[in-house]
Amino acid sequence: QVQLVESGGGLVQAGGSLRLSCADSGNPLSWAWYRQAPGKQREWVASINRAGVSTYASSVKGRFTISRDNTINTLNLQMGSLKPEDTAVYYCYAQDFRLRAYWGQGTQVTVSS
């Protein structure tokens, strides 16, 4: 069983930076961040696996960085050059060795113009 607890998020002006964190337990196999804007479907933002290989959605590539601190079992998303269209609820995601999916509670990110 994997448990995910998110922190971070908040209100920031366009062009600013914000960092999201997600503490996990249960030894996941891979991690990701998703987001859901009002009236839109949840979309994938970035992923990272145990080998440290990361991938990004084209909309955030070059602006966001996903990382995993294995010493404290925490997933991070460093977001820079934020735009109003990045406004969404951001969700931490993890998958275990049985390929079961787990979700964090979500954290609001609001970027003002």
Side-chain angles (χ1 to χ4, degrees):
Q1 191 79 7
V2 174
Q3 293 185 326
L4 303 171
V5 180
E6 298 182 38
S7 60
L11 175 63
V12 64
Q13 288 189 332
S17 300
L18 210 56
R19 182 182 180 91
L20 305 181
S21 295
C22 176
D24 66 69
S25 62
N27 200 26
L29 178 64
S30 63
W31 302 264
W33 288 97
Y34 284 76
R35 67 186 182 186
Q36 187 166 17
K40 295 188 177 181
Q41 289 189 332
R42 190 172 297 189
E43 65 173 0
W44 169 74
V45 174
S47 295
I48 191 167
N49 61 20
R50 280 190 163 270
V53 177
S54 57
T55 52
Y56 299 90
S58 57
S59 59
V60 306
K61 196 170 185 178
R63 301 188 297 121
F64 291 12
T65 301
I66 188 172
S67 63
R68 161 76 173 165
D69 188 336
N70 294 322
T71 62
I72 56 173
N73 293 339
T74 299
L75 177 72
N76 299 301
L77 184 68
Q78 181 67 44
M79 304 183 292
S81 301
L82 284 162
K83 306 175 182 178
E85 51 263 44
D86 293 318
T87 295
V89 177
Y90 284 70
Y91 295 91
C92 175
Y93 168 93
Q95 195 171 51
D96 66 15
F97 285 85
R98 295 182 178 179
L99 302 184
R100 293 178 295 192
Y102 301 87
W103 293 93
Q105 78 277 15
T107 186
Q108 178 69 46
V109 172
T110 302
V111 184
S112 63
S113 56

